[in-house]
Amino acid sequence: MVNTFNESAIATYLKTTGEELCEKLGAQDLGETERARLEGQVEAYRQMMERFELGDLECGHIKRKI
């Protein structure tokens, strides 16, 4: 739950950065290592958003939920 300006700013940062990572993850020319690294980062952002009840981060171009 977001109650203050600082919490709102953090929530916006998490969502925006997570969405940017999802976009990068959608690139066709990623190597296996780079894809795994990005998937790990997306998962970390997803867990932070879930922990602080900010919604869920889902990468639309990926068949499974990250």
Side-chain angles (χ1 to χ4, degrees):
M1 177 171 287
V2 179
N3 295 320
T4 67
F5 174 76
N6 286 338
E7 290 172 340
S8 178
I10 291 168
T12 300
Y13 173 80
L14 289 174
K15 289 178 184 180
T16 302
T17 304
E19 290 168 357
E20 289 172 359
L21 290 170
C22 281
E23 287 178 25
K24 288 180 183 178
L25 197 51
Q28 300 298 320
D29 60 343
L30 292 176
E32 188 176 322
T33 303
E34 181 68 12
R35 181 169 299 281
R37 186 182 69 79
L38 286 172
E39 286 178 351
Q41 288 178 322
V42 168
E43 177 63 19
Y45 277 90
R46 188 194 66 72
Q47 287 179 8
M48 283 188 281
M49 289 173 61
E50 184 179 292
R51 167 73 171 92
F52 294 105
E53 299 175 0
L54 300 172
D56 197 14
L57 177 63
E58 194 171 332
C59 295
H61 56 275
I62 299 175
K63 296 197 188 318
R64 66 181 175 84
K65 190 185 208 183
I66 296 290

